[in-house]
Amino acid sequence: MSEVDNIYFSRFAQIKGQSFDYIVIGGGAYGTSFTHRVLQHNPQARILVLEKGNYLIPDHIQNIPPAYIKLNTSVGIRPWTYHGSADMKLSLNFMPQIPYVGGRALFWNAWTPQPDSSEMPDWPPQAIERLDNQWYPTGEFMGRRYSLEIPGNRNQSLNRFMGERLFSQLANISGAKPQPSPSALDSAMATGQGVAPEDWAKFSPISVLVNDVQAYASLKVVVNAEVEQLIAEGDVVTEIITKDGSLRVGNAKVILACNTLEAGFILTKSFPDDKLVGKNLCGHIRSWLAARIPASSLPVLTNQLQTVAYYLPGIDKTTNRLMHTHISVVHNPQPAESYDVLYRILPDASSPEAVATYQDPDYVVIMLHSMGEFLGERSVNSWNYVTTNPLGEAEVYIQMKETDRQFWDAMDKTTYDVMYALAGDAPLEYQHNNPDGSFTWEKSPPDNIRNQGLVHEAGTLWMGDDPATSVTALNGQMHRYPNVYGLGSMLFPRPGSWNPTLTGVAQSFALADELSGPHQDQNQ
């Protein structure tokens, strides 16, 4: 363990034999949110968080100096064997896990759309209604707001101009959902707790967890505590097996707050006779398109950095699949002076090359990131699923169907339609990425804008009313093992197309309220 681990966190041997009210598997966004909310209700609640990794960084990667940016692409792991064909010119696989305290939320882009019921198809109505009272406190907790404007990024003129241009062209964008006004396109971002309006940061759960460890003596966080298996006696999970040894559950409730794939691996290894667990694996396919237009083509630019972000939801009516496009528009007339501000606020600062995209003062860069649904099936016959083989090794199976191909074609068309709408009559130059990480700008579009990284995996513990056709109840409680609960996108019957983090945190708050809030006795 590092010195930081020793200061804030515990070793497995230190908590052996202790009793807990909740054992939370995973110290990322959902585990931290659930823990924080429970402790707000009951500061004496005995909570154990088992985190697979150790301490890496103290905050979101974009809240610390840009020198650390390469961590984003160098610390991930894929602890599974992937089985899938090279569909659509790509070798598809899920994006890596981040095995450290904070998890993927150390690097996420902070988009926090709030879905409405039309964007949550196949969700039981009560599961949607259950979140009605959680959206506001969740947004407050995560620092949700709609503008990137801060000192150093006075973006009003570009934001207004491009937002109105995009709004006026919605009818010409295939699949775009109608919007009531240009301001409805403004993207919501999570800026963290206590961030002043004139400042900017991105939400990261690690500071919340570290603060809570110091504030509540009843909270213990054990790092390097990888959970391998659950042991049940009858319908009650009684023991947790980790790489460091076993832990008796006692009367604790076990909260699966880890990655969707990891939860599937743990449960299929633990309960191989439960044929529904791990099925219905679904998530998002992605397309990226970046282009630039001459700065001289826009009349609203200033001599200061202007960075804006929009969020455009959509649907392909042929396949009935949902999609959305993240939109960043940047004019950076003083690259050297603006570098730190640009790095902090960019929604897509995933690598040094990504930041380098925005360094030419003579151009306005438009970056589009479209995502949409690929689906499995909510049955034992699902062609997309996770499992563990007889040796206990994790495996992921993905097969893209013809409907997935049709939908991806439609999503690509939408992506180009958005680009044309934003460019107006200005000439476009497209970014072409090279294998060595460099890029060039060309007048012709790239041959392929599809990304091989599948994201926002969902569905392996999907919720429903019927134990015969679902894995968990509407609150994430397993039908078969009622002292085990899931959180986040593992519960989604279908992924929708939005970033799941806000919804997953809302589910975490809802479960914490039900189990530990003022009226918990009526909800258990």
Side-chain angles (χ1 to χ4, degrees):
M1 293 176 70
S2 70
E3 286 303 315
V4 173
D5 291 332
N6 282 322
I7 292 170
Y8 296 112
F9 308 130
S10 302
R11 293 183 177 91
F12 188 80
Q14 294 174 301
I15 55 86
K16 284 280 288 184
Q18 296 186 32
S19 298
F20 296 94
D21 301 309
Y22 305 95
I23 299 175
V24 180
I25 300 175
Y30 304 150
T32 295
S33 302
F34 173 82
T35 298
H36 181 77
R37 189 71 164 178
V38 169
L39 290 169
Q40 284 185 318
H41 292 309
N42 180 9
Q44 283 73 49
R46 299 167 301 170
I47 304 177
L48 172 64
V49 177
L50 298 175
E51 167 54 44
K52 180 177 184 177
N54 58 6
Y55 175 92
L56 177 67
I57 51 177
D59 209 334
H60 189 284
I61 190 73
Q62 287 174 257
N63 298 343
I64 60 178
Y68 293 92
I69 190 172
K70 287 189 176 181
L71 287 174
N72 196 7
T73 53
S74 60
V75 299
I77 61 170
R78 289 187 175 102
W80 59 78
T81 300
Y82 182 83
H83 302 274
S85 57
D87 288 271
M88 294 161 284
K89 303 180 182 179
L90 296 172
S91 297
L92 301 173
N93 201 341
F94 282 99
M95 294 297 286
Q97 297 176 4
I98 306 297
Y100 296 94
V101 182
R104 286 179 175 173
L106 297 173
F107 300 101
W108 76 304
N109 288 330
W111 303 84
T112 52
Q114 178 183 319
D116 61 35
S117 59
S118 70
E119 297 171 300
M120 305 167 86
D122 299 346
W123 281 53
Q126 287 183 312
I128 299 174
E129 294 167 5
R130 177 172 173 262
L131 303 183
D132 286 347
N133 294 328
Q134 302 301 337
W135 295 121
Y136 180 77
T138 299
E140 288 285 291
F141 172 68
M142 300 179 73
R144 188 171 184 258
R145 69 186 190 195
Y146 286 88
S147 175
L148 303 184
E149 183 186 352
I150 61 169
N153 184 44
R154 297 302 188 193
N155 62 4
Q156 304 100 317
S157 61
L158 184 63
N159 186 45
R160 185 182 309 110
F161 183 87
M162 295 303 276
E164 291 176 352
R165 174 179 280 186
L166 179 62
F167 179 76
S168 70
Q169 294 296 312
L170 288 180
N172 298 321
I173 299 173
S174 59
K177 288 183 64 175
Q179 301 297 312
S181 66
S183 62
L185 295 163
D186 289 342
S187 177
M189 295 278 179
T191 62
Q193 290 186 311
V195 178
E198 68 275 6
D199 203 354
W200 183 266
K202 289 189 174 180
F203 170 79
S204 179
I206 186 169
S207 58
V208 176
L209 189 62
V210 168
N211 280 332
D212 285 348
V213 165
Q214 297 175 87
Y216 302 99
S218 59
L219 170 62
K220 305 297 181 184
V221 178
V222 177
V223 294
N224 297 313
E226 182 173 355
V227 173
E228 296 183 322
Q229 192 172 357
L230 308 181
I231 305 296
E233 296 177 8
D235 62 354
V236 177
V237 168
T238 58
E239 191 174 358
I240 297 174
I241 307 299
T242 78
K243 285 194 171 180
D244 284 337
S246 64
L247 179 71
R248 297 298 295 180
V249 171
N251 293 322
K253 294 176 172 62
V254 178
I255 312 297
L256 290 168
C258 49
N259 175 269
T260 291
L261 300 181
E262 189 173 1
F265 300 147
I266 292 170
L267 292 181
T268 56
K269 183 176 182 178
S270 304
F271 312 120
D273 61 330
D274 192 331
K275 301 305 181 183
L276 288 182
V277 168
K279 300 299 193 293
N280 187 43
L281 179 59
C282 48
H284 293 159
I285 52 178
R286 301 187 296 159
S287 293
W288 285 83
L289 181 63
R292 67 184 188 179
I293 58 177
S296 58
S297 67
L298 295 178
V300 294
L301 302 181
T302 68
N303 62 355
Q304 291 186 317
L305 173 70
Q306 291 196 77
T307 299
V308 297
Y310 308 105
Y311 175 86
L312 179 62
I315 184 171
D316 173 45
K317 293 183 179 179
T318 300
T319 60
N320 197 33
R321 301 281 181 93
L322 295 170
M323 58 181 157
H324 71 270
T325 302
H326 291 162
I327 302 164
S328 302
V329 184
V330 178
H331 180 234
N332 188 13
Q334 302 182 57
E337 292 83 353
S338 302
Y339 189 88
D340 286 350
V341 174
L342 177 69
Y343 171 72
R344 284 209 319 274
I345 64 177
L346 269 179
D348 57 354
S350 56
S351 66
E353 293 79 17
V355 181
T357 301
Y358 304 101
Q359 300 305 309
D360 192 326
D362 294 327
Y363 291 90
V364 171
V365 175
I366 303 167
M367 175 71 77
L368 306 180
H369 182 194
S370 294
M371 285 178 269
E373 296 179 296
F374 75 91
L375 303 178
E377 183 175 87
R378 294 188 293 276
S379 80
V380 296
N381 299 315
S382 181
W383 51 92
N384 296 336
Y385 61 96
V386 302
T387 190
T388 47
N389 63 29
L391 298 176
E393 299 165 333
E395 298 187 337
V396 175
Y397 288 81
I398 293 291
Q399 180 182 354
M400 290 290 167
K401 299 286 190 177
E402 182 59 31
T403 304
D404 298 304
R405 295 179 174 87
Q406 293 173 1
F407 173 65
W408 211 334
D409 288 341
M411 191 171 73
D412 284 351
K413 183 179 187 311
T414 298
T415 306
Y416 275 102
D417 286 349
V418 172
M419 182 64 75
Y420 301 147
L422 289 166
D425 296 329
L428 280 163
E429 291 183 355
Y430 297 91
Q431 187 178 44
H432 288 244
N433 297 310
N434 302 315
D436 64 357
S438 64
F439 59 86
T440 58
W441 298 99
E442 310 288 346
K443 292 183 178 179
S444 60
D447 293 334
N448 182 28
I449 65 172
R450 297 177 181 180
N451 192 287
Q452 67 183 13
L454 305 174
V455 295
H456 300 157
E457 52 269 33
T460 54
L461 275 69
W462 75 94
M463 57 186 164
D465 294 314
D466 187 350
T469 58
S470 60
V471 180
T472 59
L474 305 188
N475 66 348
Q477 185 177 34
M478 291 191 70
H479 292 305
R480 189 168 176 180
Y481 303 99
N483 66 332
V484 179
Y485 296 77
L487 287 177
S489 54
M490 65 181 74
L491 306 179
F492 297 179
R494 184 171 155 179
S497 81
W498 23 270
N499 184 294
T501 306
L502 180 73
T503 303
V505 174
Q507 288 179 317
S508 302
F509 273 29
L511 182 63
D513 288 356
E514 292 162 7
L515 297 183
S516 66
H519 306 292
Q520 72 271 22
D521 292 339
Q522 301 174 23
N523 292 285
Q524 291 183 314

